[in-house]
Structure formats: C-alpha cells, structure tokens
C-alpha cells in the first residue's frame, strides 16, 4: 500500500466504481438517500506537495437517482437543481492537506449559480493494481452542507411541525480513481 505522500500523477474517477451520494431527513423522521449516476473527474496529484494538487469534478444534475421517479423529477425541477438551466454541479479543488491517512480536500462546490467552499476529509483506502493492469486509488469520506446555502430552499411545512425536507445534507463520497499513463 502506497501512502498518500507517495501518490503522484493524474487520476480519473471510475464512474462504475465510484459513488457520489447524499442523505437528507424526510418528514423529520426518516432518511432519503440518493446519488448522481453521471459524472467525471480528474485529479493531478503531488503527494509531496499536496497543496499543489489540482482537482475538478463535474456532475450531471439530471442524473440524480433517489429510486423514486416522481421525487427525482421534482429534484430536477426549478424547485431544487433546475437541471435544465443549470445542467452541471461542479467541485474545483482549491487546497489539499494530508493528515496521516486522511487527505482534506477543500474546494468550491457550485450548485445552480451559487458557489461555496466545502472541505471533504477523505480516508485513504490504499492502492491496488486491478486484473486489467490499472493502478487504482481508493478514498472515502463525507461532508455536511446546508442546501439553503446553495439556494435550494423549497420546502413544505408539516402539520406536526417542522418541514418535509431537512436543510442539512450529508454528502458521501466513495471514490475509485484510475492512474493515467504518463
């Protein structure tokens, strides 16, 4: 297993082995989970100087999947992501710091037309060579955001008090990235 300080090169997300998901409270009593099915991302990594790492991720807003077609259509609408007018969510890394087996990636998350800084502490799961000769790196972690910070304010009041959709959203990342040949 390589440690984080030894990683160098260009890595691209493997969408078939990467999950970009979220969790929110629904009706204040249960959780709804969803993910984005279409995305791409690349990192140019310098483990010896992590602050120089370059990272860009682009997510297709219309690819949202919560396993409920009506809810997904509502999330694509102007009430939430407005996927027709704002087809992409993006994350552009602005800083990286290594702390043991965790890399803290800070960057600008843009949803609709609002950009806010977010830090993802990602635990390093290691590297492996797959049966096809690809060198893979694994990372996983989560961060919390307030959807209202990004202009996602639609909600419905509940008779029992509170709201239908929580403002707090947990973003969960399970990353498999493939090293690109130099």
């Amino acid at each position: 297993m390589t440690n984080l300080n030894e990683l160098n090169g260009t890595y691209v997300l493997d969408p078939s082995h990467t999950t970009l998901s979220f969790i929110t409270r629904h009706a204040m009593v249960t959780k709804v989970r969803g993910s984005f099915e279409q995305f791409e991302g690349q990192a140019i990594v310098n483990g010896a100087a992590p602050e120089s790492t370059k990272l860009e991720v682009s997510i297709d807003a219309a690819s949202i999947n919560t396993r409920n077609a009506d809810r997904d259509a509502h999330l694509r609408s102007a009430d939430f992501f407005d996927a027709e007018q704002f087809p992409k969510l993006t994350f552009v890394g602005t800083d990286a710091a290594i702390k043991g087996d965790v890399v803290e990636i800070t960057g600008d998350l843009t949803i609709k037309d609002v950009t806010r800084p977010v830090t993802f502490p990602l635990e390093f799961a290691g590297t492996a060579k797959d049966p096809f000769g690809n060198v893979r790196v694994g990372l996983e972690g989560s961060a919390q955001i307030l959807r209202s910070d990004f202009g996602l304010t639609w909600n419905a009041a509940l008779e029992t008090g509170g709201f239908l959709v929580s403002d707090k959203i947990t973003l969960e990342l399970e990353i498999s990235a493939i090293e690109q040949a130099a």
Side-chain angles (χ1 to χ4, degrees):
M1 178 191 298
T2 304
N3 72 44
L4 282 167
N5 294 103
E6 296 171 338
L7 286 180
N8 285 295
T10 301
Y11 294 82
V12 296
L13 290 179
D14 175 3
S16 62
H17 294 98
T18 295
T19 303
L20 306 180
S21 61
F22 60 89
I23 303 168
T24 189
R25 286 255 172 224
H26 179 262
M28 299 183 63
V29 296
T30 190
K31 293 179 182 176
V32 169
R33 297 173 187 272
S35 62
F36 292 94
E37 305 297 318
Q38 296 177 353
F39 52 85
E40 59 186 22
Q42 174 177 294
I44 301 170
V45 178
N46 180 345
E51 67 282 356
S52 68
T53 294
K54 305 291 183 210
L55 171 71
E56 292 187 14
V57 178
S58 177
I59 302 166
D60 182 350
S63 74
I64 195 164
N65 180 1
T66 64
R67 301 179 330 222
N68 180 294
D70 290 339
R71 179 173 48 226
D72 293 348
H74 190 203
L75 290 169
R76 289 182 193 107
S77 78
D79 284 345
F80 287 94
F81 291 108
D82 197 358
E84 190 171 312
Q85 184 174 347
F86 302 100
K88 300 290 182 189
L89 289 74
T90 60
F91 182 79
V92 177
T94 57
D95 192 33
I98 295 173
K99 298 177 180 179
D101 284 341
V102 173
V103 58
E104 289 184 353
I105 303 289
T106 298
D108 292 328
L109 176 63
T110 302
I111 301 174
K112 294 173 79 169
D113 59 351
V114 179
T115 301
R116 298 274 188 260
V118 177
T119 298
F120 289 95
L122 300 173
E123 185 176 341
F124 179 58
T127 61
K129 186 175 264 191
D130 69 21
F132 308 103
N134 298 310
V135 175
R136 293 178 175 272
V137 62
L139 299 156
E140 57 186 48
S142 64
Q144 291 187 336
I145 63 169
L146 297 178
R147 64 188 181 88
S148 60
D149 286 348
F150 295 89
L152 304 175
T153 57
W154 181 92
N155 225 327
L158 300 172
E159 283 184 25
T160 56
F163 292 96
L164 184 64
V165 183
S166 172
D167 191 30
K168 183 172 70 173
I169 307 293
T170 300
L171 305 175
E172 290 188 334
L173 310 177
E174 294 176 23
I175 297 168
S176 178
I178 300 172
E179 184 177 27
Q180 302 301 288

